Amino acid sequence: MKLSDINIRDPFVLKEGDTYYLYGTRARNFGRDTGGFDVYISKDLKNWSDPVTCFDSQMNGYNREVNWAPEVHKYKNAFYMFATFTRENGLRGVFVLKSDCPEGPFQPYSEKAVTPETWECLDGTLYIDKEGEPYLVFCHEHTQIVDGTVCYVKLSDDLKTAVTQPVVLFSGSSPQWADVKPDGEHYITDGPFMYRTRTGRLLLIWSTFIHHKYAQCVAASDNGEIDGRFIHLPPLITDDGGHGMIFKAGKKLILTFHSPNKTGHERPVFRELEDTGNSIRIKQNGLT
Protein backbone atom coordinates (compact mmCIF):
# COMPACT_ATOMS: atom_id res chain seq x y z
CA MET A 1 0.00 0.00 0.00
CA LYS A 2 1.00 3.64 -0.53
CA LEU A 3 0.19 6.46 1.90
CA SER A 4 -2.48 7.64 -0.52
CA ASP A 5 -4.27 4.28 -0.03
CA ILE A 6 -4.41 4.57 3.78
CA ASN A 7 -7.56 6.22 5.16
CA ILE A 8 -6.75 7.19 8.75
CA ARG A 9 -6.86 10.24 10.99
CA ASP A 10 -4.28 11.16 13.64
CA PRO A 11 -1.27 9.33 12.16
CA PHE A 12 1.53 8.28 14.50
CA VAL A 13 4.82 6.67 13.41
CA LEU A 14 7.05 4.57 15.66
CA LYS A 15 10.46 3.46 14.42
CA GLU A 16 11.84 0.30 15.97
CA GLY A 17 15.08 -1.02 14.52
CA ASP A 18 14.88 -0.60 10.76
CA THR A 19 11.07 -0.81 10.65
CA TYR A 20 8.39 1.88 10.74
CA TYR A 21 4.99 1.30 12.33
CA LEU A 22 2.11 3.61 11.39
CA TYR A 23 -0.94 3.83 13.67
CA GLY A 24 -4.04 5.99 13.44
CA THR A 25 -7.77 6.41 13.92
CA ARG A 26 -9.85 4.35 11.53
CA ALA A 27 -11.47 7.17 9.63
CA ARG A 28 -14.92 5.76 8.93
CA ASN A 29 -17.69 7.43 10.92
CA PHE A 30 -15.15 9.87 12.37
CA GLY A 31 -13.56 7.07 14.40
CA ARG A 32 -16.74 6.07 16.22
CA ASP A 33 -17.60 2.43 16.95
CA THR A 34 -14.77 1.27 14.70
CA GLY A 35 -13.79 -1.72 16.83
CA GLY A 36 -10.15 -0.82 17.44
CA PHE A 37 -6.92 0.14 15.72
CA ASP A 38 -4.63 -1.07 12.95
CA VAL A 39 -0.92 -0.86 12.30
CA TYR A 40 0.74 -0.49 8.90
CA ILE A 41 4.37 -1.66 8.58
CA SER A 42 7.10 -0.36 6.27
CA LYS A 43 10.86 -0.46 5.72
CA ASP A 44 11.08 2.62 3.51
CA LEU A 45 8.13 4.93 4.38
CA LYS A 46 6.81 4.47 0.84
CA ASN A 47 5.51 0.91 0.69
CA TRP A 48 3.24 -0.20 3.53
CA SER A 49 1.67 -3.48 4.55
CA ASP A 50 -2.06 -4.04 4.56
CA PRO A 51 -3.63 -3.05 7.90
CA VAL A 52 -3.00 -5.44 10.77
CA THR A 53 -5.35 -5.24 13.75
CA CYS A 54 -3.26 -4.32 16.78
CA PHE A 55 -6.09 -3.66 19.27
CA ASP A 56 -9.59 -5.12 19.24
CA SER A 57 -11.70 -2.70 21.28
CA GLN A 58 -14.87 -4.73 20.81
CA MET A 59 -13.32 -7.87 22.30
CA ASN A 60 -11.84 -5.86 25.20
CA GLY A 61 -15.02 -3.91 26.04
CA TYR A 62 -13.69 -0.51 24.90
CA ASN A 63 -15.89 0.00 21.83
CA ARG A 64 -18.51 2.14 23.58
CA GLU A 65 -18.17 5.00 21.09
CA VAL A 66 -14.91 6.71 20.11
CA ASN A 67 -11.70 4.86 19.22
CA TRP A 68 -9.33 7.78 18.70
CA ALA A 69 -5.69 8.79 18.30
CA PRO A 70 -3.54 5.75 19.19
CA GLU A 71 0.06 6.63 19.98
CA VAL A 72 2.67 3.95 20.69
CA HIS A 73 5.79 4.72 22.74
CA LYS A 74 8.60 2.40 23.75
CA TYR A 75 9.20 2.67 27.49
CA LYS A 76 11.34 0.36 29.62
CA ASN A 77 11.50 -2.36 26.95
CA ALA A 78 7.75 -2.59 26.36
CA PHE A 79 5.35 -0.76 24.05
CA TYR A 80 2.56 1.41 25.43
CA MET A 81 -0.40 2.69 23.47
CA PHE A 82 -2.16 5.85 24.66
CA ALA A 83 -5.61 6.10 23.08
CA THR A 84 -8.94 7.83 23.62
CA PHE A 85 -12.10 5.85 24.36
CA THR A 86 -15.55 6.69 25.70
CA ARG A 87 -15.80 5.64 29.33
CA GLU A 88 -18.74 3.99 31.06
CA ASN A 89 -19.75 7.40 32.41
CA GLY A 90 -20.16 8.68 28.84
CA LEU A 91 -17.12 10.99 28.95
CA ARG A 92 -14.04 10.48 26.80
CA GLY A 93 -10.71 9.70 28.44
CA VAL A 94 -7.19 8.52 27.67
CA PHE A 95 -6.37 4.89 28.48
CA VAL A 96 -3.05 3.04 28.46
CA LEU A 97 -2.62 -0.28 26.63
CA LYS A 98 0.48 -2.47 26.52
CA SER A 99 2.22 -4.95 24.24
CA ASP A 100 5.58 -6.70 24.07
CA CYS A 101 5.97 -5.76 20.40
CA PRO A 102 4.95 -2.81 18.19
CA GLU A 103 2.54 -4.81 16.03
CA GLY A 104 0.55 -5.90 19.08
CA PRO A 105 -1.80 -7.24 20.07
CA PHE A 106 -2.16 -4.54 22.71
CA GLN A 107 -4.03 -5.31 25.91
CA PRO A 108 -5.70 -3.02 28.47
CA TYR A 109 -3.09 -1.88 30.99
CA SER A 110 -4.36 1.06 33.07
CA GLU A 111 -7.32 0.09 35.25
CA LYS A 112 -9.19 3.19 34.09
CA ALA A 113 -8.54 6.37 32.17
CA VAL A 114 -5.46 8.28 33.35
CA THR A 115 -7.23 11.60 32.67
CA PRO A 116 -9.64 13.11 35.26
CA GLU A 117 -12.83 11.10 35.75
CA THR A 118 -15.21 14.05 35.40
CA TRP A 119 -13.42 15.66 32.45
CA GLU A 120 -14.03 15.13 28.74
CA CYS A 121 -10.50 14.48 27.46
CA LEU A 122 -8.71 13.25 24.36
CA ASP A 123 -5.39 12.82 22.58
CA GLY A 124 -2.92 11.84 25.27
CA THR A 125 0.79 11.80 24.44
CA LEU A 126 3.67 10.54 26.57
CA TYR A 127 6.43 12.97 27.51
CA ILE A 128 9.58 11.97 29.41
CA ASP A 129 11.39 14.89 31.07
CA LYS A 130 15.14 15.40 31.44
CA GLU A 131 15.08 13.48 34.74
CA GLY A 132 13.34 10.49 33.15
CA GLU A 133 9.97 11.23 34.76
CA PRO A 134 6.85 10.35 32.70
CA TYR A 135 4.03 12.81 31.98
CA LEU A 136 0.81 12.64 30.00
CA VAL A 137 0.03 15.71 27.90
CA PHE A 138 -3.61 15.80 26.76
CA CYS A 139 -6.52 18.06 25.85
CA HIS A 140 -9.53 19.00 27.97
CA GLU A 141 -12.21 19.12 25.32
CA HIS A 142 -14.02 22.19 24.10
CA THR A 143 -17.19 20.07 24.14
CA GLN A 144 -17.21 20.44 27.92
CA ILE A 145 -15.50 23.78 28.58
CA VAL A 146 -16.00 25.74 25.30
CA ASP A 147 -12.43 27.10 25.31
CA GLY A 148 -10.44 23.87 25.04
CA THR A 149 -7.12 23.53 26.85
CA VAL A 150 -3.86 21.59 26.67
CA CYS A 151 -2.93 20.10 30.05
CA TYR A 152 -0.55 17.65 31.69
CA VAL A 153 -0.42 15.24 34.61
CA LYS A 154 2.56 13.40 36.00
CA LEU A 155 2.24 9.61 35.66
CA SER A 156 3.35 6.87 38.00
CA ASP A 157 6.60 5.18 37.00
CA ASP A 158 4.65 2.20 35.65
CA LEU A 159 2.37 4.54 33.60
CA LYS A 160 -0.79 3.06 35.15
CA THR A 161 -2.12 6.14 36.96
CA ALA A 162 -1.86 9.90 37.25
CA VAL A 163 -0.09 10.96 40.45
CA THR A 164 -0.73 14.73 40.30
CA GLN A 165 -3.65 17.01 39.61
CA PRO A 166 -3.85 18.33 36.03
CA VAL A 167 -2.02 21.53 35.11
CA VAL A 168 -3.32 23.73 32.29
CA LEU A 169 -0.64 24.84 29.85
CA PHE A 170 -2.78 27.08 27.62
CA SER A 171 -6.22 27.45 26.07
CA GLY A 172 -7.31 27.45 22.45
CA SER A 173 -8.04 31.18 22.59
CA SER A 174 -4.62 32.12 23.98
CA PRO A 175 -2.45 32.47 20.82
CA GLN A 176 -2.08 36.01 19.52
CA TRP A 177 -3.11 34.71 16.09
CA ALA A 178 -6.28 32.95 17.37
CA ASP A 179 -9.57 33.81 15.71
CA VAL A 180 -11.70 36.23 17.67
CA LYS A 181 -14.97 34.41 18.15
CA PRO A 182 -18.38 35.41 19.50
CA ASP A 183 -19.20 34.43 23.07
CA GLY A 184 -20.08 30.75 23.25
CA GLU A 185 -18.30 29.71 20.05
CA HIS A 186 -15.83 26.94 20.75
CA TYR A 187 -12.03 26.96 20.61
CA ILE A 188 -10.71 23.50 19.75
CA THR A 189 -7.46 22.00 21.04
CA ASP A 190 -6.26 18.55 19.97
CA GLY A 191 -3.30 16.43 18.98
CA PRO A 192 -0.49 17.57 21.35
CA PHE A 193 3.01 16.15 20.85
CA MET A 194 6.32 17.12 22.46
CA TYR A 195 9.62 17.63 20.63
CA ARG A 196 12.97 18.89 21.90
CA THR A 197 15.09 20.81 19.36
CA ARG A 198 18.80 20.29 18.74
CA THR A 199 19.54 23.17 21.14
CA GLY A 200 17.31 21.77 23.88
CA ARG A 201 14.27 24.01 23.42
CA LEU A 202 11.07 22.14 24.27
CA LEU A 203 8.30 22.47 21.70
CA LEU A 204 4.68 21.39 21.87
CA ILE A 205 2.84 20.93 18.57
CA TRP A 206 -0.95 20.88 18.61
CA SER A 207 -3.95 21.55 16.37
CA THR A 208 -6.91 23.89 16.19
CA PHE A 209 -8.92 25.71 13.52
CA ILE A 210 -7.79 29.02 12.02
CA HIS A 211 -10.33 30.76 9.77
CA HIS A 212 -12.33 27.50 9.81
CA LYS A 213 -9.41 25.43 8.47
CA TYR A 214 -7.59 22.71 10.39
CA ALA A 215 -4.13 23.92 11.41
CA GLN A 216 -0.87 22.56 12.82
CA CYS A 217 0.47 24.85 15.54
CA VAL A 218 3.65 25.20 17.63
CA ALA A 219 4.37 26.50 21.12
CA ALA A 220 7.67 26.64 23.05
CA SER A 221 8.41 26.36 26.77
CA ASP A 222 10.21 29.38 28.21
CA ASN A 223 12.24 27.24 30.63
CA GLY A 224 12.85 24.14 28.52
CA GLU A 225 10.52 21.95 30.56
CA ILE A 226 6.87 20.92 30.85
CA ASP A 227 6.24 23.32 33.75
CA GLY A 228 7.31 26.39 31.76
CA ARG A 229 5.14 29.06 30.20
CA PHE A 230 4.38 28.11 26.62
CA ILE A 231 4.88 30.84 24.03
CA HIS A 232 2.93 30.52 20.79
CA LEU A 233 5.00 30.56 17.60
CA PRO A 234 3.72 30.95 14.02
CA PRO A 235 1.64 27.93 12.88
CA LEU A 236 3.25 25.34 10.60
CA ILE A 237 0.15 24.55 8.52
CA THR A 238 -3.02 26.61 8.03
CA ASP A 239 -4.54 24.96 4.95
CA ASP A 240 -6.49 21.96 6.31
CA GLY A 241 -3.93 19.66 7.88
CA GLY A 242 -3.20 18.76 11.47
CA HIS A 243 -3.03 16.36 14.42
CA GLY A 244 0.64 15.80 13.76
CA MET A 245 3.66 14.19 15.37
CA ILE A 246 7.39 14.23 14.66
CA PHE A 247 9.73 11.30 14.05
CA LYS A 248 13.21 10.68 12.66
CA ALA A 249 14.06 8.66 9.56
CA GLY A 250 17.83 8.43 9.30
CA LYS A 251 19.06 12.02 9.19
CA LYS A 252 15.65 13.35 8.23
CA LEU A 253 13.17 14.88 10.67
CA ILE A 254 9.59 14.27 9.54
CA LEU A 255 6.21 15.67 10.48
CA THR A 256 3.23 13.43 9.79
CA PHE A 257 -0.35 14.72 9.97
CA HIS A 258 -3.67 13.99 8.30
CA SER A 259 -5.16 15.99 5.47
CA PRO A 260 -7.78 16.86 4.41
CA ASN A 261 -9.80 16.98 7.62
CA LYS A 262 -12.86 15.51 5.93
CA THR A 263 -14.39 12.19 6.94
CA GLY A 264 -13.63 9.51 4.38
CA HIS A 265 -10.90 11.51 2.65
CA GLU A 266 -8.21 11.75 5.36
CA ARG A 267 -4.74 10.49 4.47
CA PRO A 268 -1.42 10.54 6.34
CA VAL A 269 0.97 13.12 4.92
CA PHE A 270 4.74 13.29 5.47
CA ARG A 271 6.68 16.57 5.34
CA GLU A 272 10.38 16.96 6.05
CA LEU A 273 11.19 19.46 8.79
CA GLU A 274 14.18 21.61 9.54
CA ASP A 275 15.18 21.93 13.19
CA THR A 276 16.42 25.51 13.53
CA GLY A 277 17.28 25.09 17.21
CA ASN A 278 14.80 27.76 18.17
CA SER A 279 11.85 26.13 16.41
CA ILE A 280 10.93 23.89 13.46
CA ARG A 281 9.84 24.69 9.93
CA ILE A 282 8.72 22.70 6.92
CA LYS A 283 11.37 22.28 4.25
CA GLN A 284 10.40 23.42 0.79
CA ASN A 285 9.85 20.41 -1.52
CA GLY A 286 10.25 18.13 1.50
CA LEU A 287 9.34 14.45 1.67
CA THR A 288 5.75 13.55 0.75
Side-chain angles (χ1 to χ4, degrees):
M1 300 182 73
K2 303 296 185 183
L3 283 181
S4 59
D5 301 318
I6 300 175
N7 182 206
I8 59 171
R9 303 175 63 84
D10 319 325
F12 188 94
V13 174
L14 170 74
K15 186 181 182 187
E16 178 65 10
D18 63 353
T19 304
Y20 299 92
Y21 299 87
L22 170 64
Y23 309 87
T25 301
R26 291 172 178 169
R28 68 177 184 271
N29 195 28
F30 201 70
R32 287 178 165 85
D33 306 308
T34 56
F37 302 118
D38 302 312
V39 60
Y40 301 80
I41 302 170
S42 176
K43 295 289 188 179
D44 60 8
L45 296 178
K46 295 179 180 179
N47 301 291
W48 296 87
S49 71
D50 288 338
V52 177
T53 299
C54 60
F55 180 66
D56 187 326
S57 66
Q58 183 68 41
M59 182 178 69
N60 285 283
Y62 279 37
N63 196 38
R64 284 180 283 270
E65 191 202 6
V66 306
N67 294 241
W68 285 353
E71 292 196 4
V72 175
H73 298 261
K74 188 175 184 181
Y75 178 78
K76 296 187 176 180
N77 297 314
F79 297 89
Y80 295 86
M81 178 181 284
F82 296 80
T84 303
F85 300 99
T86 304
R87 293 175 286 195
E88 292 181 354
N89 66 2
L91 299 174
R92 291 187 276 271
V94 178
F95 290 75
V96 186
L97 317 175
K98 183 180 180 182
S99 176
D100 291 330
C101 55
E103 59 264 37
F106 286 84
Q107 302 295 335
Y109 179 68
S110 59
E111 293 182 7
K112 59 181 182 178
V114 291
T115 48
E117 189 71 17
T118 60
W119 286 20
E120 184 101 299
C121 301
L122 80 167
D123 297 353
T125 188
L126 180 66
Y127 168 65
I128 307 297
D129 73 6
K130 292 178 180 178
E131 305 301 321
E133 299 293 327
Y135 293 81
L136 181 80
V137 182
F138 65 96
C139 294
H140 190 181
E141 275 212 80
H142 68 100
T143 51
Q144 188 177 51
I145 58 173
V146 181
D147 192 359
T149 57
V150 177
C151 310
Y152 73 84
V153 290
K154 187 175 181 181
L155 295 174
S156 57
D157 188 60
D158 61 7
L159 307 183
K160 281 191 172 184
T161 59
V163 296
T164 64
Q165 293 298 309
V167 175
V168 175
L169 293 176
F170 57 84
S171 65
S173 66
S174 62
Q176 66 277 10
W177 43 254
D179 296 344
V180 178
K181 299 183 179 182
D183 288 347
E185 189 169 335
H186 291 209
Y187 287 88
I188 291 172
T189 54
D190 71 26
F193 182 82
M194 311 299 291
Y195 172 74
R196 192 175 295 281
T197 72
R198 59 183 174 82
T199 60
R201 195 176 198 195
L202 183 64
L203 303 182
L204 190 165
I205 66 171
W206 62 290
S207 288
T208 189
F209 284 80
I210 302 174
H211 303 313
H212 305 290
K213 287 189 175 182
Y214 205 35
Q216 185 66 67
C217 311
V218 188
S221 170
D222 67 353
N223 72 354
E225 258 310 343
I226 190 72
D227 60 356
R229 182 174 66 91
F230 278 78
I231 301 161
H232 295 285
L233 306 178
L236 286 174
I237 299 165
T238 58
D239 58 352
D240 199 23
H243 197 120
M245 61 83 61
I246 297 167
F247 68 97
K248 291 182 178 179
K251 294 182 178 180
K252 292 183 177 180
L253 186 67
I254 300 174
L255 170 72
T256 182
F257 57 95
H258 76 251
S259 182
N261 191 45
K262 182 179 180 182
T263 300
H265 297 268
E266 308 95 328
R267 296 293 186 273
V269 178
F270 291 168
R271 291 286 185 269
E272 189 175 351
L273 293 173
E274 180 182 357
D275 182 336
T276 67
N278 192 52
S279 186
I280 50 176
R281 60 189 177 202
I282 295 176
K283 278 191 173 182
Q284 296 298 316
N285 302 315
L287 183 71
T288 59

